[in-house]
Amino acid sequence: INITWGLPKIIDGLSVKVPKDYKLSDRLTKGILIRYLIHLVGDIHEPLHNILLVNKDYPQGNPGGGRFPIMYKEGEMTLHQLWDSLFLLKPSPYPPPFSEEVKAQLREIARDFMKQYPRDHFTEELKKTSVFEWSQGSYDVGIKNCFTGL
Protein backbone atom coordinates (compact mmCIF):
# COMPACT_ATOMS: atom_id res chain seq x y z
CA ILE A 1 0.00 0.00 0.00
CA ASN A 2 1.21 3.52 -0.73
CA ILE A 3 1.19 5.25 2.64
CA THR A 4 0.45 8.69 1.22
CA TRP A 5 -2.73 7.19 -0.30
CA GLY A 6 -3.60 4.79 2.52
CA LEU A 7 -3.30 7.02 5.59
CA PRO A 8 -5.97 9.51 4.49
CA LYS A 9 -8.28 6.58 3.62
CA ILE A 10 -7.84 5.08 7.09
CA ILE A 11 -8.44 8.45 8.74
CA ASP A 12 -11.64 8.83 6.67
CA GLY A 13 -12.76 5.38 7.80
CA LEU A 14 -12.10 6.21 11.42
CA SER A 15 -14.01 9.47 11.26
CA VAL A 16 -17.28 7.61 10.62
CA LYS A 17 -19.07 7.26 13.96
CA VAL A 18 -19.99 3.70 14.84
CA PRO A 19 -22.89 3.57 17.33
CA LYS A 20 -22.40 1.32 20.36
CA ASP A 21 -25.29 -0.90 19.28
CA TYR A 22 -23.61 -1.71 15.93
CA LYS A 23 -22.47 -5.21 15.29
CA LEU A 24 -19.26 -6.30 16.93
CA SER A 25 -17.56 -6.65 13.53
CA ASP A 26 -18.01 -2.91 12.83
CA ARG A 27 -16.37 -2.02 16.15
CA LEU A 28 -13.58 -4.56 15.54
CA THR A 29 -12.98 -3.00 12.13
CA LYS A 30 -12.44 0.37 13.82
CA GLY A 31 -9.99 -1.24 16.24
CA ILE A 32 -8.05 -2.81 13.38
CA LEU A 33 -8.00 0.51 11.52
CA ILE A 34 -6.57 2.25 14.61
CA ARG A 35 -3.82 -0.37 14.90
CA TYR A 36 -3.04 -0.06 11.20
CA LEU A 37 -3.04 3.74 11.45
CA ILE A 38 -0.47 3.61 14.27
CA HIS A 39 1.64 1.16 12.24
CA LEU A 40 1.57 3.30 9.09
CA VAL A 41 2.35 6.53 10.97
CA GLY A 42 5.41 4.74 12.37
CA ASP A 43 6.36 3.42 8.94
CA ILE A 44 6.14 6.81 7.25
CA HIS A 45 8.61 8.15 9.81
CA GLU A 46 11.02 5.28 9.09
CA PRO A 47 13.48 6.65 6.51
CA LEU A 48 14.05 3.27 4.83
CA HIS A 49 10.35 3.23 3.88
CA ASN A 50 10.88 6.43 1.89
CA ILE A 51 14.02 5.76 -0.14
CA LEU A 52 15.27 3.19 -2.62
CA LEU A 53 18.91 2.29 -3.26
CA VAL A 54 19.61 1.61 -6.93
CA ASN A 55 23.22 0.96 -7.93
CA LYS A 56 25.33 -1.64 -9.77
CA ASP A 57 24.81 -4.16 -6.95
CA TYR A 58 21.06 -3.50 -6.83
CA PRO A 59 20.02 -2.54 -10.37
CA GLN A 60 16.37 -3.39 -9.59
CA GLY A 61 16.59 -1.50 -6.32
CA ASN A 62 16.88 -2.44 -2.69
CA PRO A 63 13.52 -1.49 -1.18
CA GLY A 64 13.95 -0.27 2.34
CA GLY A 65 17.41 -1.77 2.76
CA GLY A 66 15.78 -5.20 3.07
CA ARG A 67 18.41 -6.84 0.83
CA PHE A 68 21.41 -4.98 2.25
CA PRO A 69 23.29 -7.27 4.68
CA ILE A 70 24.92 -5.80 7.80
CA MET A 71 27.18 -7.68 10.21
CA TYR A 72 26.02 -6.55 13.63
CA LYS A 73 26.82 -7.86 17.11
CA GLU A 74 26.28 -11.62 17.08
CA GLY A 75 25.20 -12.04 13.50
CA GLU A 76 23.91 -10.70 10.24
CA MET A 77 20.78 -8.69 9.67
CA THR A 78 19.56 -6.40 6.95
CA LEU A 79 19.95 -2.63 7.13
CA HIS A 80 16.17 -2.39 7.50
CA GLN A 81 16.15 -4.82 10.42
CA LEU A 82 18.96 -2.88 12.08
CA TRP A 83 17.14 0.44 11.68
CA ASP A 84 13.87 -1.01 12.97
CA SER A 85 15.61 -2.54 15.98
CA LEU A 86 17.42 0.57 17.18
CA PHE A 87 14.87 1.08 19.93
CA LEU A 88 14.98 -2.58 20.86
CA LEU A 89 18.73 -2.92 21.45
CA LYS A 90 18.15 -2.74 25.18
CA PRO A 91 15.41 -5.11 26.33
CA SER A 92 12.48 -3.43 28.04
CA PRO A 93 12.62 -3.55 31.82
CA TYR A 94 8.80 -3.43 31.74
CA PRO A 95 7.44 -6.60 30.13
CA PRO A 96 3.63 -6.77 30.05
CA PRO A 97 1.30 -7.28 31.77
CA PHE A 98 2.02 -4.09 33.71
CA SER A 99 1.65 -4.06 37.47
CA GLU A 100 0.34 -0.94 39.18
CA GLU A 101 3.92 -0.18 40.27
CA VAL A 102 5.19 -0.41 36.69
CA LYS A 103 2.31 1.76 35.45
CA ALA A 104 3.30 4.41 38.02
CA GLN A 105 6.94 4.22 36.88
CA LEU A 106 5.91 4.59 33.23
CA ARG A 107 3.73 7.61 34.09
CA GLU A 108 6.73 9.19 35.85
CA ILE A 109 8.95 8.53 32.81
CA ALA A 110 6.29 10.15 30.59
CA ARG A 111 6.05 13.18 32.92
CA ASP A 112 9.85 13.58 32.89
CA PHE A 113 9.89 13.33 29.09
CA MET A 114 7.16 15.95 28.78
CA LYS A 115 9.07 18.28 31.10
CA GLN A 116 12.23 17.84 29.05
CA TYR A 117 10.36 18.17 25.74
CA PRO A 118 7.28 20.35 26.26
CA ARG A 119 4.80 20.75 23.43
CA ASP A 120 6.33 24.06 22.35
CA HIS A 121 9.62 22.19 21.72
CA PHE A 122 7.85 20.62 18.73
CA THR A 123 6.16 23.77 17.39
CA GLU A 124 7.62 23.52 13.90
CA GLU A 125 7.14 19.76 13.64
CA LEU A 126 3.52 20.00 14.78
CA LYS A 127 2.78 22.36 11.90
CA LYS A 128 3.48 19.46 9.52
CA THR A 129 0.11 17.80 9.24
CA SER A 130 0.35 16.50 5.68
CA VAL A 131 1.28 12.88 5.07
CA PHE A 132 3.43 14.18 2.20
CA GLU A 133 5.39 16.44 4.60
CA TRP A 134 6.01 13.49 6.93
CA SER A 135 7.17 11.38 4.02
CA GLN A 136 9.45 14.14 2.71
CA GLY A 137 11.04 14.63 6.13
CA SER A 138 11.71 10.92 6.44
CA TYR A 139 13.03 10.83 2.86
CA ASP A 140 15.46 13.66 3.68
CA VAL A 141 16.78 11.79 6.74
CA GLY A 142 17.14 8.60 4.67
CA ILE A 143 19.04 10.30 1.85
CA LYS A 144 21.37 11.98 4.33
CA ASN A 145 22.00 8.99 6.61
CA CYS A 146 21.04 5.57 5.23
CA PHE A 147 23.06 4.81 2.11
CA THR A 148 25.90 7.32 2.36
CA GLY A 149 29.16 6.21 0.81
CA LEU A 150 27.63 3.49 -1.38
Side-chain angles (χ1 to χ4, degrees), residues 48-66:
L48 288 167
H49 281 274
N50 287 279
I51 62 174
L52 176 70
L53 172 67
V54 177
N55 64 16
K56 66 178 178 63
D57 295 323
Y58 302 100
Q60 301 302 312
N62 187 349

Side-chain angles (χ1 to χ4, degrees), residues 54-126:
V54 177
N55 64 16
K56 66 178 178 63
D57 295 323
Y58 302 100
Q60 301 302 312
N62 187 349
R67 298 184 194 127
F68 193 87
I70 300 279
M71 292 304 296
Y72 186 72
K73 289 196 176 188
E74 291 86 31
E76 183 177 303
M77 60 176 50
T78 69
L79 179 60
H80 191 110
Q81 288 169 324
L82 175 63
W83 193 281
D84 278 352
S85 72
L86 288 178
F87 292 105
L88 301 175
L89 294 178
K90 183 177 176 187
S92 172
Y94 307 109
F98 300 140
S99 67
E100 290 306 314
E101 179 183 349
V102 167
K103 289 177 188 176
Q105 290 173 346
L106 292 172
R107 280 191 291 275
E108 186 60 32
I109 290 168
R111 277 192 289 274
D112 289 345
F113 183 84
M114 290 188 303
K115 283 179 190 171
Q116 186 174 357
Y117 300 102
R119 186 176 178 87
D120 61 359
H121 178 84
F122 300 99
T123 301
E124 290 306 310
E125 289 299 315
L126 290 170

Side-chain angles (χ1 to χ4, degrees), residues 10 28 34-35 52 110 131:
I10 291 171
L28 287 174
I34 290 169
R35 290 181 71 178
L52 176 70
V131 173

Side-chain angles (χ1 to χ4, degrees), residues 138-150:
S138 190
Y139 170 85
D140 293 343
V141 169
I143 291 299
K144 181 178 177 185
N145 298 295
C146 292
F147 293 122
T148 56
L150 300 178

